[in-house]
Amino acid sequence: MDQLLEIFDNRVLWIAIAGWFSAQFLKVIFYACKNRKFSLERLMGAGGMPSSHSSTVCGMTVAVGRTYGLASPLFAVALIVAFIVMYDATGVRRAAGEQARVLNRLLVEHDKAEAQKALKEFLGHTPLEVLGGAVLGIALGFLIPIA
């Protein structure tokens, strides 16, 4: 039981979670300002500004570096995972979202939108959205106390 309770003392985990939650909360606000409508789906949805993927992994990476040092193997793993996640968010996932947008337009043009559910378009991120998430995560990684 004590081992299970140790998870509540894991500051690296909590900083990563704070990065994810903060980015998701900001997505709702940015979406509402840009589109002049509230969308609760943005709280859990992928895509949008800032990238919660980037915020999560960058916050985690900074917290690992602060906790275990920049020369630790854990920091190296966290940094590489962060690069992979951010590259994927702007590459493969973004391309899939753009393809979904085109396919949805084709369905509407051919009046098949009623017969088929629209594909999810919010999947990936623009480089600016990834950068925004990275800055948010790095800031939280430094601002939230480790000890």
Side-chain angles (χ1 to χ4, degrees), residues 15-90:
I15 288 172
I17 290 171
W20 175 84
F21 183 80
S22 299
Q24 290 300 117
F25 182 75
L26 287 172
K27 280 183 192 185
V28 173
I29 294 170
F30 291 154
Y31 182 87
C33 291
K34 182 180 178 184
N35 298 294
R36 303 211 189 285
K37 66 178 179 178
F38 179 78
S39 173
L40 193 57
E41 188 274 334
R42 299 307 315 138
L43 189 60
M44 297 303 292
M49 175 63 141
S51 165
S52 58
H53 291 85
S54 298
S55 182
T56 301
V57 295
C58 286
M60 173 192 69
T61 301
V62 170
V64 166
R66 288 180 62 206
T67 303
Y68 300 102
L70 301 182
S72 73
L74 287 174
F75 177 75
V77 170
L79 185 63
I80 296 303
V81 167
F83 285 144
I84 291 169
V85 167
M86 291 186 291
Y87 176 81
D88 183 64
T90 57

Side-chain angles (χ1 to χ4, degrees), residues 99-121:
Q99 290 172 1
R101 192 172 302 115
V102 170
L103 289 171
N104 284 338
R105 269 187 280 180
L106 287 172
L107 288 171
V108 168
E109 288 173 9
H110 290 77
D111 293 325
K112 297 194 184 208
E114 308 254 345
Q116 188 163 359
K117 186 178 177 185
L119 299 170
K120 191 170 198 151
E121 296 178 14

